[in-house]
Amino acid sequence: MDNANEAAIREQTTARLEKAMGTFGTAALASMEGQLPWFRRMPPDQRSWIGLVAQAGIAAFVEWFKNAEESRPQIAGEVFGTAPRELMRSIKLKHTIDMVRVIIDVVETRLDELAAPGGEAQLREAILRYTRDVAFGAAQVYAQAAETRAAWDARLEALVVNAVLRGEVDDGMHSWAAALGWTSKPVTVIAGFTPEDEDPEVTIDQMQLAARRARVDVLAGVQGHRVIVIVGGAEDPLEAARPVAAKCGPGPVVVGPAVDDLYDSTVSARAALAGLRAAAGWPDAPRPVLADELLPERALDGDEEARHYLIEHVFDPMCAAGAPLLDTLTTYLEQGSSLEATARLLFVHPNTVRYRLRRVSELTGLAPTDGRNAFTLRIALVLGRFGSRPPRH
């Protein structure tokens, strides 16, 4: 076929396409209604937008074919630019491919009618080339939308983490979290350090992946050399922190106490950060470590919440139990945890010392015979006595 004859056939085919173009959209929508269940479930306004997308795609094809396919069609702008951005959230990429396939089927069933005599192969080849570009264009549009959503989600995530750290946990912050799909309870905040020479986005992505594998929800943010992770839906906070700790850099990883929801998450965040600052005082601390296990170091570091806790939950119960209990514990600690030495100094039987130490353990949850617990008890005794000393004049 010579060029002149090919051009004449193309012109005749184009005229037929332009004449039938108005009916294509209606036929395509009717075909989608019959073949695509997801399309039937859509509200009328969204189906109307899809009809406009179909019409735009057909019009773009006719114009491209009319110009002898001189350049690659600008699919994203001409076709998908017709629909509002909100439609991208309702239609998956697979659905878009289904939609394109149905439209092409509609065109191909009328191929003999639309093509001028001798132009069937020409039109069929053009359709194949155009649909290929539509598929690539759709993938590009969805990829760009995904990148945009990911960037927006990252900004929202950072805002939520910053709000928790600043104590600005209000309904606005809950709206941001809800936009990220956050519904998890209870909530725990974990604090650690970022890996050296690693991009913060990479760190957060790895933590998100580790969290999905552990089947918990995570919101994470990097602030300087610190990484703050909000974990939701974990039955065991310490166990949930292990995959997160594996992605942190060298140094301690501190797990704040579990709280009911995001409204109380600031409490967990304060404890985790205080523990992170004070963890240097316990070089052999496990990783991860609960913030409550660092109460003595936090108290020595000036954490008022830790001091208040040790006085209220450790010192005060022993005071209420009577002076003999405090005297026994004090003597026991000062005598290097020796039952016999304590009994001799107090003029009591060693079994009496054992009984009183057991009462200390029952009242405080801390066993004086354990080295770490003994250190916590000693700090609680000092803090409690500070609180009961007479005022200076």
Side-chain angles (χ1 to χ4, degrees):
M1 185 185 299
D2 57 39
N3 291 339
N5 191 26
E6 182 178 350
I9 292 175
R10 180 182 298 275
E11 185 176 346
Q12 295 173 29
T13 300
T14 299
R16 295 187 180 198
L17 288 171
E18 290 176 336
K19 184 177 180 180
M21 191 168 56
T23 64
F24 279 151
T26 303
L29 286 177
S31 184
M32 283 189 281
E33 183 83 28
Q35 297 183 43
L36 305 177
W38 60 265
F39 181 76
R40 292 194 295 270
R41 293 192 295 267
M42 296 186 75
D45 60 329
Q46 292 188 357
R47 281 187 288 178
S48 175
W49 279 114
I50 289 178
L52 289 178
V53 170
Q55 290 280 14
I58 293 168
F61 168 72
V62 173
E63 184 66 24
W64 177 69
F65 184 82
K66 179 180 180 180
N67 293 324
E69 311 165 34
E70 292 177 354
S71 62
R72 185 173 181 174
Q74 300 298 315
I75 300 297
E78 295 179 4
V79 179
F80 297 101
T82 309
R85 187 181 301 272
E86 290 78 8
L87 194 63
M88 298 292 296
R89 299 180 180 178
S90 304
I91 304 178
K92 299 178 180 178
L93 178 59
K94 178 181 180 300
H95 294 164
T96 303
I97 300 302
D98 289 341
M99 180 179 69
V100 172
R101 176 179 52 78
V102 170
I103 294 173
I104 297 309
D105 288 344
V106 169
V107 175
E108 286 188 329
T109 57
R110 300 177 59 183
L111 189 65
D112 293 338
E113 171 191 343
L114 294 171
E120 294 83 356
Q122 182 187 63
L123 181 58
R124 182 177 289 106
E125 181 181 349
I127 291 173
L128 290 175
R129 289 181 56 197
Y130 188 78
T131 52
R132 178 198 63 189
D133 284 335
V134 166
F136 281 121
Q140 182 181 18
V141 168
Y142 276 85
Q144 291 173 345
E147 289 179 0
T148 301
R149 285 196 298 272
W152 176 245
D153 287 352
R155 286 193 290 271
L156 274 184
E157 191 170 359
L159 286 172
V160 172
V161 173
N162 288 337
V164 169
L165 294 182
R166 292 195 303 268
E168 299 173 358
V169 183
D170 53 18
D171 291 339
M173 189 216 69
H174 268 258
S175 298
W176 300 336
L180 294 168
W182 182 275
T183 59
S184 297
K185 299 177 182 180
V187 174
T188 302
V189 178
I190 302 168
F193 294 105
T194 57
E196 297 176 359
D197 302 324
E198 185 174 283
D199 189 287
E201 292 183 2
V202 174
T203 300
I204 292 176
D205 288 344
Q206 289 183 346
M207 289 182 175
Q208 294 280 12
L209 180 59
R212 284 196 294 271
R213 289 173 178 168
R215 297 185 178 180
V216 295
D217 291 331
V218 159
L219 298 174
V222 173
Q223 295 188 332
H225 296 297
R226 299 183 312 187
V227 58
I228 311 299
V229 183
I230 304 172
V231 177
E235 295 181 3
D236 184 346
L238 194 61
E239 192 62 31
R242 297 191 192 284
V244 173
K247 304 302 178 183
C248 289
V253 176
V254 183
V255 185
V259 294
D260 291 337
D261 52 36
L262 273 178
Y263 281 109
D264 299 322
S265 57
T266 298
V267 174
S268 185
R270 283 200 303 265
L273 289 175
L276 190 66
R277 289 192 298 269
W282 187 12
D284 297 327
R287 176 188 155 113
V289 60
L290 294 173
D292 286 350
E293 294 184 12
L294 287 160
L295 282 170
E297 287 80 11
R298 289 165 53 192
L300 291 172
D301 194 45
D303 180 5
E304 290 299 328
E305 291 186 9
R307 292 185 175 193
H308 179 76
Y309 184 94
L310 288 175
I311 293 171
E312 182 178 355
H313 296 278
V314 179
F315 182 79
D316 288 349
M318 291 189 295
C319 276
L325 208 65
L326 278 179
D327 292 341
T328 301
L329 176 62
T330 301
T331 304
Y332 178 77
L333 295 176
E334 290 177 348
Q335 295 303 312
S337 302
S338 171
L339 284 171
E340 290 75 12
T342 303
R344 283 196 303 270
L345 286 173
L346 296 177
F347 301 102
V348 297
H349 194 278
N351 284 342
T352 302
V353 176
R354 289 190 180 92
Y355 169 76
R356 291 175 180 176
L357 295 179
R358 190 161 56 248
R359 282 290 294 149
V360 169
S361 180
E362 291 171 355
L363 290 170
T364 66
L366 300 168
T369 54
D370 176 83
R372 178 69 190 170
N373 287 350
F375 174 64
T376 304
L377 288 166
R378 186 182 289 274
I379 298 300
L381 286 174
V382 173
L383 293 173
R385 285 164 181 156
F386 281 165
S388 59
R389 62 189 171 184
R392 294 179 179 178
H393 297 289

PDB file of all heavy atoms in Angstrom, residues 344-363:
ATOM      1  N   ARG A 344      21.590  -9.204 114.072  1.00  0.00           N
ATOM      2  CA  ARG A 344      22.393  -8.870 115.255  1.00  0.00           C
ATOM      3  C   ARG A 344      22.241  -7.408 115.641  1.00  0.00           C
ATOM      4  O   ARG A 344      22.062  -7.069 116.819  1.00  0.00           O
ATOM      5  CB  ARG A 344      23.869  -9.189 115.001  1.00  0.00           C
ATOM      6  CG  ARG A 344      24.216 -10.666 115.087  1.00  0.00           C
ATOM      7  CD  ARG A 344      25.728 -10.864 115.223  1.00  0.00           C
ATOM      8  NE  ARG A 344      26.445 -10.231 114.117  1.00  0.00           N
ATOM      9  CZ  ARG A 344      26.748 -10.847 112.975  1.00  0.00           C
ATOM     10  NH1 ARG A 344      26.367 -12.102 112.767  1.00  0.00           N
ATOM     11  NH2 ARG A 344      27.421 -10.210 112.034  1.00  0.00           N
ATOM     12  N   LEU A 345      22.279  -6.530 114.630  1.00  0.00           N
ATOM     13  CA  LEU A 345      22.190  -5.102 114.914  1.00  0.00           C
ATOM     14  C   LEU A 345      20.813  -4.703 115.429  1.00  0.00           C
ATOM     15  O   LEU A 345      20.677  -3.766 116.236  1.00  0.00           O
ATOM     16  CB  LEU A 345      22.536  -4.285 113.663  1.00  0.00           C
ATOM     17  CG  LEU A 345      24.022  -4.240 113.274  1.00  0.00           C
ATOM     18  CD1 LEU A 345      24.203  -3.545 111.942  1.00  0.00           C
ATOM     19  CD2 LEU A 345      24.817  -3.508 114.364  1.00  0.00           C
ATOM     20  N   LEU A 346      19.791  -5.414 114.968  1.00  0.00           N
ATOM     21  CA  LEU A 346      18.422  -5.071 115.392  1.00  0.00           C
ATOM     22  C   LEU A 346      17.959  -5.889 116.594  1.00  0.00           C
ATOM     23  O   LEU A 346      16.827  -5.689 117.076  1.00  0.00           O
ATOM     24  CB  LEU A 346      17.457  -5.281 114.218  1.00  0.00           C
ATOM     25  CG  LEU A 346      17.662  -4.387 112.997  1.00  0.00           C
ATOM     26  CD1 LEU A 346      16.678  -4.768 111.888  1.00  0.00           C
ATOM     27  CD2 LEU A 346      17.509  -2.918 113.349  1.00  0.00           C
ATOM     28  N   PHE A 347      18.794  -6.835 117.035  1.00  0.00           N
ATOM     29  CA  PHE A 347      18.456  -7.694 118.171  1.00  0.00           C
ATOM     30  C   PHE A 347      17.164  -8.489 117.914  1.00  0.00           C
ATOM     31  O   PHE A 347      16.272  -8.551 118.779  1.00  0.00           O
ATOM     32  CB  PHE A 347      18.315  -6.864 119.476  1.00  0.00           C
ATOM     33  CG  PHE A 347      19.551  -6.114 119.824  1.00  0.00           C
ATOM     34  CD1 PHE A 347      19.638  -4.746 119.572  1.00  0.00           C
ATOM     35  CD2 PHE A 347      20.648  -6.773 120.380  1.00  0.00           C
ATOM     36  CE1 PHE A 347      20.792  -4.039 119.899  1.00  0.00           C
ATOM     37  CE2 PHE A 347      21.805  -6.057 120.714  1.00  0.00           C
ATOM     38  CZ  PHE A 347      21.883  -4.692 120.453  1.00  0.00           C
ATOM     39  N   VAL A 348      17.067  -9.031 116.680  1.00  0.00           N
ATOM     40  CA  VAL A 348      15.917  -9.871 116.328  1.00  0.00           C
ATOM     41  C   VAL A 348      16.443 -11.152 115.703  1.00  0.00           C
ATOM     42  O   VAL A 348      17.618 -11.286 115.354  1.00  0.00           O
ATOM     43  CB  VAL A 348      14.970  -9.152 115.340  1.00  0.00           C
ATOM     44  CG1 VAL A 348      14.359  -7.902 115.969  1.00  0.00           C
ATOM     45  CG2 VAL A 348      15.701  -8.803 114.041  1.00  0.00           C
ATOM     46  N   HIS A 349      15.534 -12.115 115.570  1.00  0.00           N
ATOM     47  CA  HIS A 349      15.886 -13.389 114.950  1.00  0.00           C
ATOM     48  C   HIS A 349      15.999 -13.201 113.436  1.00  0.00           C
ATOM     49  O   HIS A 349      15.254 -12.402 112.837  1.00  0.00           O
ATOM     50  CB  HIS A 349      14.817 -14.433 115.284  1.00  0.00           C
ATOM     51  CG  HIS A 349      15.241 -15.831 114.973  1.00  0.00           C
ATOM     52  ND1 HIS A 349      15.165 -16.386 113.712  1.00  0.00           N
ATOM     53  CD2 HIS A 349      15.771 -16.800 115.778  1.00  0.00           C
ATOM     54  CE1 HIS A 349      15.605 -17.621 113.737  1.00  0.00           C
ATOM     55  NE2 HIS A 349      15.979 -17.914 114.990  1.00  0.00           N
ATOM     56  N   PRO A 350      16.910 -13.935 112.766  1.00  0.00           N
ATOM     57  CA  PRO A 350      17.000 -13.834 111.302  1.00  0.00           C
ATOM     58  C   PRO A 350      15.676 -14.096 110.595  1.00  0.00           C
ATOM     59  O   PRO A 350      15.419 -13.511 109.535  1.00  0.00           O
ATOM     60  CB  PRO A 350      18.052 -14.895 110.946  1.00  0.00           C
ATOM     61  CG  PRO A 350      18.925 -14.972 112.151  1.00  0.00           C
ATOM     62  CD  PRO A 350      18.001 -14.769 113.323  1.00  0.00           C
ATOM     63  N   ASN A 351      14.838 -14.958 111.152  1.00  0.00           N
ATOM     64  CA  ASN A 351      13.527 -15.206 110.520  1.00  0.00           C
ATOM     65  C   ASN A 351      12.651 -13.960 110.545  1.00  0.00           C
ATOM     66  O   ASN A 351      11.828 -13.750 109.647  1.00  0.00           O
ATOM     67  CB  ASN A 351      12.815 -16.356 111.233  1.00  0.00           C
ATOM     68  CG  ASN A 351      13.401 -17.704 110.861  1.00  0.00           C
ATOM     69  OD1 ASN A 351      14.096 -17.818 109.853  1.00  0.00           O
ATOM     70  ND2 ASN A 351      13.132 -18.723 111.664  1.00  0.00           N
ATOM     71  N   THR A 352      12.828 -13.140 111.577  1.00  0.00           N
ATOM     72  CA  THR A 352      12.083 -11.872 111.631  1.00  0.00           C
ATOM     73  C   THR A 352      12.539 -10.947 110.510  1.00  0.00           C
ATOM     74  O   THR A 352      11.727 -10.262 109.866  1.00  0.00           O
ATOM     75  CB  THR A 352      12.294 -11.190 112.999  1.00  0.00           C
ATOM     76  OG1 THR A 352      11.870 -12.072 114.026  1.00  0.00           O
ATOM     77  CG2 THR A 352      11.515  -9.894 113.088  1.00  0.00           C
ATOM     78  N   VAL A 353      13.833 -10.935 110.267  1.00  0.00           N
ATOM     79  CA  VAL A 353      14.357 -10.133 109.151  1.00  0.00           C
ATOM     80  C   VAL A 353      13.787 -10.647 107.830  1.00  0.00           C
ATOM     81  O   VAL A 353      13.363  -9.858 106.975  1.00  0.00           O
ATOM     82  CB  VAL A 353      15.901 -10.176 109.135  1.00  0.00           C
ATOM     83  CG1 VAL A 353      16.437  -9.423 107.912  1.00  0.00           C
ATOM     84  CG2 VAL A 353      16.471  -9.580 110.407  1.00  0.00           C
ATOM     85  N   ARG A 354      13.778 -11.949 107.673  1.00  0.00           N
ATOM     86  CA  ARG A 354      13.242 -12.531 106.433  1.00  0.00           C
ATOM     87  C   ARG A 354      11.774 -12.121 106.240  1.00  0.00           C
ATOM     88  O   ARG A 354      11.345 -11.785 105.129  1.00  0.00           O
ATOM     89  CB  ARG A 354      13.366 -14.060 106.473  1.00  0.00           C
ATOM     90  CG  ARG A 354      14.779 -14.590 106.350  1.00  0.00           C
ATOM     91  CD  ARG A 354      14.769 -16.099 106.158  1.00  0.00           C
ATOM     92  NE  ARG A 354      16.118 -16.641 106.042  1.00  0.00           N
ATOM     93  CZ  ARG A 354      16.827 -17.094 107.076  1.00  0.00           C
ATOM     94  NH1 ARG A 354      16.303 -17.084 108.316  1.00  0.00           N
ATOM     95  NH2 ARG A 354      18.040 -17.563 106.885  1.00  0.00           N
ATOM     96  N   TYR A 355      11.011 -12.217 107.323  1.00  0.00           N
ATOM     97  CA  TYR A 355       9.589 -11.862 107.245  1.00  0.00           C
ATOM     98  C   TYR A 355       9.418 -10.399 106.836  1.00  0.00           C
ATOM     99  O   TYR A 355       8.600 -10.079 105.970  1.00  0.00           O
ATOM    100  CB  TYR A 355       8.914 -12.110 108.597  1.00  0.00           C
ATOM    101  CG  TYR A 355       7.530 -11.513 108.676  1.00  0.00           C
ATOM    102  CD1 TYR A 355       6.459 -12.119 108.033  1.00  0.00           C
ATOM    103  CD2 TYR A 355       7.306 -10.312 109.378  1.00  0.00           C
ATOM    104  CE1 TYR A 355       5.185 -11.551 108.087  1.00  0.00           C
ATOM    105  CE2 TYR A 355       6.048  -9.746 109.433  1.00  0.00           C
ATOM    106  CZ  TYR A 355       4.988 -10.370 108.784  1.00  0.00           C
ATOM    107  OH  TYR A 355       3.736  -9.808 108.824  1.00  0.00           O
ATOM    108  N   ARG A 356      10.190  -9.506 107.461  1.00  0.00           N
ATOM    109  CA  ARG A 356      10.046  -8.077 107.135  1.00  0.00           C
ATOM    110  C   ARG A 356      10.488  -7.774 105.700  1.00  0.00           C
ATOM    111  O   ARG A 356       9.879  -6.937 105.020  1.00  0.00           O
ATOM    112  CB  ARG A 356      10.858  -7.251 108.130  1.00  0.00           C
ATOM    113  CG  ARG A 356      10.276  -7.281 109.542  1.00  0.00           C
ATOM    114  CD  ARG A 356      11.167  -6.553 110.524  1.00  0.00           C
ATOM    115  NE  ARG A 356      10.618  -6.582 111.880  1.00  0.00           N
ATOM    116  CZ  ARG A 356      11.222  -6.097 112.951  1.00  0.00           C
ATOM    117  NH1 ARG A 356      12.443  -5.526 112.815  1.00  0.00           N
ATOM    118  NH2 ARG A 356      10.669  -6.177 114.144  1.00  0.00           N
ATOM    119  N   LEU A 357      11.535  -8.434 105.236  1.00  0.00           N
ATOM    120  CA  LEU A 357      11.967  -8.225 103.847  1.00  0.00           C
ATOM    121  C   LEU A 357      10.913  -8.742 102.868  1.00  0.00           C
ATOM    122  O   LEU A 357      10.708  -8.158 101.793  1.00  0.00           O
ATOM    123  CB  LEU A 357      13.304  -8.930 103.600  1.00  0.00           C
ATOM    124  CG  LEU A 357      14.504  -8.387 104.378  1.00  0.00           C
ATOM    125  CD1 LEU A 357      15.759  -9.191 104.044  1.00  0.00           C
ATOM    126  CD2 LEU A 357      14.720  -6.902 104.083  1.00  0.00           C
ATOM    127  N   ARG A 358      10.267  -9.853 103.259  1.00  0.00           N
ATOM    128  CA  ARG A 358       9.187 -10.377 102.412  1.00  0.00           C
ATOM    129  C   ARG A 358       8.018  -9.396 102.359  1.00  0.00           C
ATOM    130  O   ARG A 358       7.396  -9.215 101.315  1.00  0.00           O
ATOM    131  CB  ARG A 358       8.742 -11.728 102.941  1.00  0.00           C
ATOM    132  CG  ARG A 358       7.794 -12.457 101.988  1.00  0.00           C
ATOM    133  CD  ARG A 358       7.713 -13.954 102.278  1.00  0.00           C
ATOM    134  NE  ARG A 358       7.306 -14.195 103.681  1.00  0.00           N
ATOM    135  CZ  ARG A 358       8.121 -14.728 104.593  1.00  0.00           C
ATOM    136  NH1 ARG A 358       9.373 -15.054 104.269  1.00  0.00           N
ATOM    137  NH2 ARG A 358       7.699 -14.945 105.831  1.00  0.00           N
ATOM    138  N   ARG A 359       7.747  -8.725 103.476  1.00  0.00           N
ATOM    139  CA  ARG A 359       6.693  -7.704 103.495  1.00  0.00           C
ATOM    140  C   ARG A 359       7.055  -6.521 102.603  1.00  0.00           C
ATOM    141  O   ARG A 359       6.205  -5.963 101.919  1.00  0.00           O
ATOM    142  CB  ARG A 359       6.472  -7.210 104.932  1.00  0.00           C
ATOM    143  CG  ARG A 359       5.673  -8.144 105.804  1.00  0.00           C
ATOM    144  CD  ARG A 359       4.205  -8.190 105.378  1.00  0.00           C
ATOM    145  NE  ARG A 359       3.573  -6.888 105.599  1.00  0.00           N
ATOM    146  CZ  ARG A 359       2.588  -6.413 104.851  1.00  0.00           C
ATOM    147  NH1 ARG A 359       2.155  -7.114 103.805  1.00  0.00           N
ATOM    148  NH2 ARG A 359       2.044  -5.235 105.102  1.00  0.00           N
ATOM    149  N   VAL A 360       8.327  -6.136 102.609  1.00  0.00           N
ATOM    150  CA  VAL A 360       8.777  -5.064 101.710  1.00  0.00           C
ATOM    151  C   VAL A 360       8.496  -5.446 100.255  1.00  0.00           C
ATOM    152  O   VAL A 360       7.987  -4.645  99.466  1.00  0.00           O
ATOM    153  CB  VAL A 360      10.284  -4.775 101.915  1.00  0.00           C
ATOM    154  CG1 VAL A 360      10.812  -3.856 100.801  1.00  0.00           C
ATOM    155  CG2 VAL A 360      10.528  -4.146 103.273  1.00  0.00           C
ATOM    156  N   SER A 361       8.815  -6.680  99.917  1.00  0.00           N
ATOM    157  CA  SER A 361       8.597  -7.157  98.550  1.00  0.00           C
ATOM    158  C   SER A 361       7.110  -7.151  98.196  1.00  0.00           C
ATOM    159  O   SER A 361       6.721  -6.759  97.095  1.00  0.00           O
ATOM    160  CB  SER A 361       9.175  -8.563  98.407  1.00  0.00           C
ATOM    161  OG  SER A 361       8.990  -9.046  97.095  1.00  0.00           O
ATOM    162  N   GLU A 362       6.259  -7.553  99.158  1.00  0.00           N
ATOM    163  CA  GLU A 362       4.818  -7.577  98.907  1.00  0.00           C
ATOM    164  C   GLU A 362       4.258  -6.173  98.730  1.00  0.00           C
ATOM    165  O   GLU A 362       3.371  -5.940  97.895  1.00  0.00           O
ATOM    166  CB  GLU A 362       4.110  -8.273 100.071  1.00  0.00           C
ATOM    167  CG  GLU A 362       4.396  -9.762 100.158  1.00  0.00           C
ATOM    168  CD  GLU A 362       3.864 -10.368 101.454  1.00  0.00           C
ATOM    169  OE1 GLU A 362       3.359  -9.593 102.302  1.00  0.00           O
ATOM    170  OE2 GLU A 362       3.954 -11.601 101.614  1.00  0.00           O
ATOM    171  N   LEU A 363       4.764  -5.227  99.500  1.00  0.00           N
ATOM    172  CA  LEU A 363       4.239  -3.859  99.456  1.00  0.00           C
ATOM    173  C   LEU A 363       4.712  -3.080  98.229  1.00  0.00           C
ATOM    174  O   LEU A 363       3.986  -2.231  97.707  1.00  0.00           O
ATOM    175  CB  LEU A 363       4.652  -3.107 100.728  1.00  0.00           C
ATOM    176  CG  LEU A 363       3.974  -3.546 102.023  1.00  0.00           C
ATOM    177  CD1 LEU A 363       4.655  -2.895 103.219  1.00  0.00           C
ATOM    178  CD2 LEU A 363       2.486  -3.189 102.000  1.00  0.00           C
TER     179      LEU A 363
END
